[in-house]
C-alpha cells in the first residue's frame, strides 16, 4: 500500500528544485513570473495538488494586464505561496512583497490569456528564457516524481 505524501513535502521538494534551477535566470521575477507560474501550475497539478493563481497588486480595482497593474504572479497551494524564490506560509515572507499588497485570485485561463496579450517587463528576455523554463519544469516534474516514489 502506497504511503500518502504530505502536501508540504511535495511543495518543499518542488520549491527547492525551482529555486535551484529557475531562480538564477536573469530578471526572472521582473517579467518572467507569469511563465514560471504557468509551468509551476502545470507541474503542481500533475502532482495532484490544486494550485491557485494569485496576482499581487497595489491597486485592487484594476487587476488586468492591459495597464500592467499587477506586480507579481505567484501560486497558492493550500496555505502555502510558491514562486521561483521558494515557498512561504505568509504573504509578508514573499521577497519584495509589501504587506500592503493586495492578492487577487485569477483563474488559470486568465493567466494563459495574460501570457499571450500582456506586455511583460521587457527587461526579461522572454524569447530566450521561456523555452528554457518550460524544459526545466519538465525535468523538475520527472525528478520530483522519481524522488517521491523512492522516498515512499
Amino acid at each position: 500500500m502506497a504511503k500518502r505524501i504530505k502536501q508540504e513535502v511535495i511543495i518543499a521538494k518542488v520549491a527547492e528544485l525551482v529555486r535551484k534551477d529557475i531562480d538564477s535566470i536573469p530578471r526572472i521575477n521582473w517579467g518572467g513570473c507569469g511563465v514560471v507560474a504557468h509551468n509551476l501550475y502545470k507541474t503542481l497539478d500533475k502532482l495532484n495538488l490544486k494550485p491557485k493563481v494569485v496576482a499581487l497588486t497595489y491597486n485592487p480595482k484594476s487587476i488586468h494586464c492591459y495597464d500592467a497593474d499587477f506586480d507579481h504572479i505567484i501560486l497558492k497551494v493550500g496555505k502555502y505561496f510558491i514562486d521561483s524564490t521558494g515557498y512561504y506560509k505568509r504573504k509578508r515572507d514573499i521577497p519584495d512583497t509589501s504587506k500592503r499588497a493586495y492578492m487577487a485570485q485569477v483563474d488559470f485561463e486568465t493567466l494563459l490569456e495574460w501570457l499571450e496579450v500582456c506586455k511583460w517587463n521587457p527587461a526579461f528576455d522572454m524569447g530566450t528564457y521561456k523555452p528554457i523554463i518550460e524544459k526545466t519544469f519538465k525535468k523538475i516534474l520527472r525528478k520530483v516524481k522519481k524522488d517521491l516514489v523512492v522516498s515512499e
Side-chain angles (χ1 to χ4, degrees), residues 9 40 55 68 90 92 96 100 111 125 129 137:
V9 172
L40 183 56
R90 298 176 303 198
R92 70 177 183 218
D96 301 322
R100 295 176 310 156
L111 174 61
D125 187 349
Y129 290 110
F137 268 99

Side-chain angles (χ1 to χ4, degrees), residues 42-68:
K42 292 191 309 185
T43 298
L44 294 171
D45 191 53
K46 288 177 182 171
L47 293 168
N48 297 317
L49 299 174
K50 303 295 177 215
K52 295 180 179 6
V53 180
V54 176
L56 298 176
T57 182
Y58 293 96
N59 183 359
K61 294 180 179 160
S62 179
I63 190 67
H64 53 80
C65 74
Y66 305 107
D67 56 6

Side-chain angles (χ1 to χ4, degrees), residues 54 65 73 102 130:
V54 176
C65 74
I73 305 294
Y102 173 78
K130 184 178 178 186

Side-chain angles (χ1 to χ4, degrees), residues 20-86:
K20 178 179 159 260
D21 296 339
I22 299 289
D23 195 43
S24 62
I25 293 174
R27 297 175 186 83
I28 191 66
N29 284 322
W30 292 291
C33 61
V35 177
V36 170
H38 171 251
N39 287 280
L40 183 56
Y41 184 101
K42 292 191 309 185
T43 298
L44 294 171
D45 191 53
K46 288 177 182 171
L47 293 168
N48 297 317
L49 299 174
K50 303 295 177 215
K52 295 180 179 6
V53 180
V54 176
L56 298 176
T57 182
Y58 293 96
N59 183 359
K61 294 180 179 160
S62 179
I63 190 67
H64 53 80
C65 74
Y66 305 107
D67 56 6
D69 221 357
F70 54 82
D71 297 297
H72 192 42
I73 305 294
I74 61 173
L75 296 184
K76 186 171 185 188
V77 180
K79 62 183 177 180
Y80 301 100
F81 300 101
I82 183 170
D83 70 0
S84 69
T85 63

Side-chain angles (χ1 to χ4, degrees), residues 115-130:
L115 286 169
E116 292 298 318
V117 300
C118 292
K119 293 180 181 174
W120 296 85
N121 187 337
F124 174 73
D125 187 349
M126 186 77 74
T128 297
Y129 290 110
K130 184 178 178 186

